[in-house]
């Protein structure tokens, strides 16, 4: 078994460049399967979740290369649309193979997806969208068979905004008739996928939370290049570090995707300079920061856990409205000295001092939050479950080391 040993209390200052977006990359990689021309995608982060998407490509015998953050897809036809393999069960993003394969081949047999245990995470909206498009679904213990003879023109209204279901509905609709999505997710990663698809020739319009896909697309570019957007959650992670330790110059970003986060922080007394493609975040004494997670453009659930160590230092309140288990990071912070009370989906922090100890992360953002806590605590922290971090953050330990952080891997028998 191995752990991460984090030396607390070191200065963390300097510049960092944010990598490409995990969640955009996952859907854009799967979306390539819709097309039969060559596609080059830049800025794809080298992280475990992306590597698993490529394992699925290998299993499907897709012809591709991945080098220096550039993914090249050569666009051959698939021999089979059977997507049954252990790697499907390892990540959430594997469910995009449902929409992409159904969209292109009108049939997919696929395992249920895995992913971080941050809540119930049903995929009933995805299935409802496929059914509205005319597909039939047969459920088995470990997999689902989805197939369609002819796609319907349809209006799909989501009960709640779902990033994954919106992406899957778009992918499956690419060659359908006309699909209208109501109360769709407009997270920046969905908009990035839409920009990718529009660039290649798919006809899509977005007005507010309504997305219309005109599936009668005919002109598809055959030699297409796209660059994935930056990872706004990685940017937010360095904002959290900068507020306690900075100044940190966070480059390669477009702060407009983080407007709500930045404005909430500035309102709570954070010193943040907004520059072109960059944020500069200074150590700040925050006053009464209140975080309420909601779909975009409000405060993202993926940053809630990340900011919990900041609240542990300065006090404040978190309400998690999307994924019920995400509040549990507070319990690990308690072991480090955080004064926090949790009630259902809410955590109320009093200002406290964090001290290094043994902590355990159970999901990507929770483990990252504990790494941040270790960096800002007094003394050493031993973190179990650091592997989750590698699912979503590219070269993160080196980026932190470049800022002055001390992290080492410890192996135990
Ligand atoms: N929901 C349903 N039924 C569905 C789908 C969603 O009830 O069929 C509910 C969920 O339970 C949740 C809400 O709708 O309460 C929103 O879930 P959503 O579908 O948007 O989440 P997701 O697609 O499973 C993606 C990201 C998550 C991110 C959420 C919210 C990927 C691979 N995952 O998950 O990213 O937290 O959207 O923005 O893109 C992460 O990066 O750490 C991460 C977990």
């Amino acid at each position: 078994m191995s752990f991460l040993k984090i030396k607390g209390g070191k200065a963390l200052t300097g510049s960092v460049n944010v990598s490409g977006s995990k969640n955009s990359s996952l859907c854009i990689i799967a979306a390539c399967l819709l097309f039969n021309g060559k596609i080059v995608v830049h800025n794809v982060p080298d992280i475990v979740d992306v590597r698993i998407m490529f394992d699925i490509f290998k299993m499907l015998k897709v012809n591709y290369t991945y080098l220096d953050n550039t993914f090249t897809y050569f666009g051959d036809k698939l021999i089979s649309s059977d997507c049954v393999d252990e790697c499907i069960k390892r990540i959430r993003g594997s469910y995009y193979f449902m929409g992409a394969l159904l969209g292109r081949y009108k049939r997919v047999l696929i395992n249920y997806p895995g992913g971080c245990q941050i809540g119930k995470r049903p995929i009933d909206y995805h299935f409802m969208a496929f059914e509205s498009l005319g597909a039939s679904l047969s459920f088995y213990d470990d997999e689902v068979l989805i197939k369609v003879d002819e796609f319907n023109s349809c209006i799909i209204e989501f009960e709640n905004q779902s990033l994954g279901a919106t992406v899957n509905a778009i992918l499956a609709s690419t060659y359908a008739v006309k699909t209208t999505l109501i109360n769709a997710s407009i997270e920046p990663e969905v908009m990035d996928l839409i920009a990718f698809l529009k660039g290649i020739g798919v006809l899509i319009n977005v007005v507010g939370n309504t997305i219309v896909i005109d599936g009668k697309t005919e002109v598809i570019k055959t030699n297409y290049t796209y660059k994935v957007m930056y990872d706004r959650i990685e940017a937010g992670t360095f904002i959290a570090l900068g507020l306690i330790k900075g100044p940190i110059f966070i480059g390669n970003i477009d702060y407009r995707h983080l407007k709500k986060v930045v404005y909430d922080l500035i309102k709570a007394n954070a010193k943040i300079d907004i520059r072109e493609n960059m944020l500069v975040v200074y150590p700040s004494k925050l006053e009464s920061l209140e975080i309420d997670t909601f779909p975009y453009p409000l405060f993202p659930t993926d940053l809630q856990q990340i900011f919990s160590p900041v609240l542990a230092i300065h006090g404040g309140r978190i309400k998690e409205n999307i994924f019920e288990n995400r509040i549990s990071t507070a319990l690990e912070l308690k072991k480090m000295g955080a004064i926090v009370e949790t009630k259902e989906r809410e955590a109320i922090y009093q200002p406290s001092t964090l001290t290094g100890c043994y902590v355990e992360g159970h999901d990507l953002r929770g483990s990252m939050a504990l790494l941040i806590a270790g960096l800002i605590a007094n003394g050493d922290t031993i973190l179990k479950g650091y592997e989750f971090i590698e699912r979503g953050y590219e070269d993160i330990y080196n980026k932190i080391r470049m800022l002055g952080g001390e992290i080492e891997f410890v192996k135990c028998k």
Side-chain angles (χ1 to χ4, degrees):
M1 192 178 292
S2 58
F3 302 91
L4 210 58
K5 183 174 171 189
I6 307 146
K7 199 159 194 59
K10 308 287 290 182
L12 286 168
T13 58
S15 303
V16 67
N17 272 336
V18 173
S19 297
S21 160
K22 166 178 83 83
N23 289 344
S24 279
S25 296
L26 298 178
C27 45
I28 288 173
I29 290 168
C32 287
L33 287 181
L34 286 164
F35 309 108
N36 63 7
K38 180 178 166 193
I39 301 173
V40 179
V41 187
H42 297 296
N43 209 29
V44 176
D46 193 351
I47 51 176
V48 170
D49 276 22
V50 162
R51 290 274 173 190
I52 294 173
M53 292 297 276
F54 293 143
D55 287 344
I56 300 169
F57 269 36
K58 278 184 207 136
M59 189 263 300
L60 289 169
K61 300 195 168 50
V62 175
N63 198 0
Y64 77 94
T65 58
Y66 179 56
L67 194 70
D68 297 334
N69 297 120
T70 294
F71 161 61
T72 306
Y73 165 79
F74 294 97
D76 316 316
K77 276 216 159 110
L78 290 189
I79 299 163
S80 156
S81 60
D82 280 5
C83 225
V84 180
D85 194 272
E86 284 305 305
C87 50
I88 309 289
K89 303 179 196 170
R90 291 183 58 202
I91 53 169
R92 199 81 194 149
S94 60
Y95 56 19
Y96 297 138
F97 287 89
M98 292 181 184
L101 294 175
L102 185 68
R104 172 101 183 262
Y105 298 100
K106 294 188 168 177
R107 175 203 177 272
V108 55
L109 176 69
I110 188 165
N111 294 113
Y112 302 108
C116 286
Q117 299 301 311
I118 50 180
K120 287 192 209 79
R121 307 193 85 178
I123 51 172
D124 52 321
Y125 302 166
H126 304 237
F127 294 148
M128 178 274 287
F130 298 145
E131 277 174 339
S132 304
L133 278 159
S136 67
L137 284 85
S138 311
F139 297 98
Y140 305 101
D141 283 351
D142 225 19
E143 56 223 25
V144 53
L145 174 66
I146 312 168
K147 46 185 191 170
V148 62
D149 294 328
E150 288 304 324
F151 285 111
N152 294 331
S153 172
C154 62
I155 297 173
I156 300 168
E157 182 163 358
F158 295 107
E159 190 184 329
N160 295 302
Q161 289 171 30
S162 158
L163 189 159
T166 301
V167 168
N168 256 334
I170 293 172
L171 298 178
S173 300
T174 303
Y175 302 110
V177 189
K178 181 176 179 180
T179 309
T180 303
L181 307 179
I182 295 176
N183 197 26
S185 162
I186 49 160
E187 300 284 328
E189 295 74 17
V190 175
M191 301 312 287
D192 204 26
L193 169 75
I194 290 175
F196 165 83
L197 292 172
K198 280 175 102 160
I200 205 165
V202 180
L203 305 171
I204 306 185
N205 266 315
V206 183
V207 181
N209 284 86
T210 299
I211 299 177
V212 181
I213 307 110
D214 185 341
K216 293 184 290 300
T217 308
E218 275 171 11
V219 186
I220 299 284
K221 281 188 196 155
T222 51
N223 210 335
Y224 178 54
T225 299
Y226 190 77
K227 184 179 173 199
V228 167
M229 70 176 286
Y230 74 101
D231 197 301
R232 66 189 165 116
I233 308 304
E234 184 192 331
T237 302
F238 285 107
I239 294 177
L241 265 181
L243 287 172
I244 306 287
K245 291 301 217 173
I248 299 181
F249 293 70
I250 306 166
N252 226 6
I253 65 150
D254 176 347
Y255 107 97
R256 286 173 300 179
H257 304 115
L258 286 159
K259 244 186 199 166
K260 171 71 178 160
V261 174
V262 171
Y263 287 0
D264 278 2
L265 289 168
I266 290 175
K267 226 167 51 195
N269 206 31
K271 182 158 170 23
I272 300 177
D273 281 352
I274 301 166
R275 301 190 185 168
E276 204 181 335
N277 301 327
M278 176 178 281
L279 287 174
V280 189
V281 183
Y282 298 88
S284 311
K285 170 114 188 54
L286 298 184
E287 286 163 11
S288 11
L289 180 59
E290 304 236 334
I291 292 177
D292 255 280
T293 66
F294 285 109
Y296 190 79
L298 299 177
F299 200 102
T301 170
D302 290 346
L303 282 179
Q304 174 271 105
Q305 289 159 293
I306 300 297
F307 274 86
S308 55
V310 177
L311 269 74
I313 300 288
H314 293 297
R317 185 190 132 270
I318 291 175
K319 175 92 190 293
E320 169 58 52
N321 297 302
I322 315 283
F323 293 116
E324 61 274 19
N325 295 352
R326 276 189 155 165
I327 212 72
S328 61
T329 306
L331 303 177
E332 291 301 303
L333 292 174
K334 218 172 188 172
K335 292 186 194 163
M336 299 179 76
I339 307 167
V340 54
E341 266 179 52
T342 54
K343 202 175 66 185
E344 291 170 14
R345 290 169 176 242
E346 208 171 345
I348 298 166
Y349 290 87
Q350 304 301 328
S352 57
T353 305
L354 297 181
T355 306
C357 67
Y358 171 85
V359 285
E360 230 177 293
H362 302 283
D363 63 273
L364 165 58
R365 307 302 170 191
S367 292
M368 187 67 218
L370 295 173
L371 171 51
I372 294 175
L375 290 164
I376 66 183
N378 298 319
D380 292 349
T381 294
I382 303 292
L383 171 61
K384 185 180 170 212
Y386 68 86
E387 298 87 348
F388 290 110
I389 296 172
E390 295 163 10
R391 294 180 62 157
Y393 288 89
E394 183 179 58
D395 202 24
I396 189 69
Y397 310 122
N398 282 329
K399 286 184 180 179
I400 290 172
R401 286 186 186 117
M402 294 293 283
L403 295 173
E406 275 190 36
I407 301 171
E408 62 178 282
F409 297 94
V410 185
K411 274 209 176 340
C412 295
K413 284 197 180 144

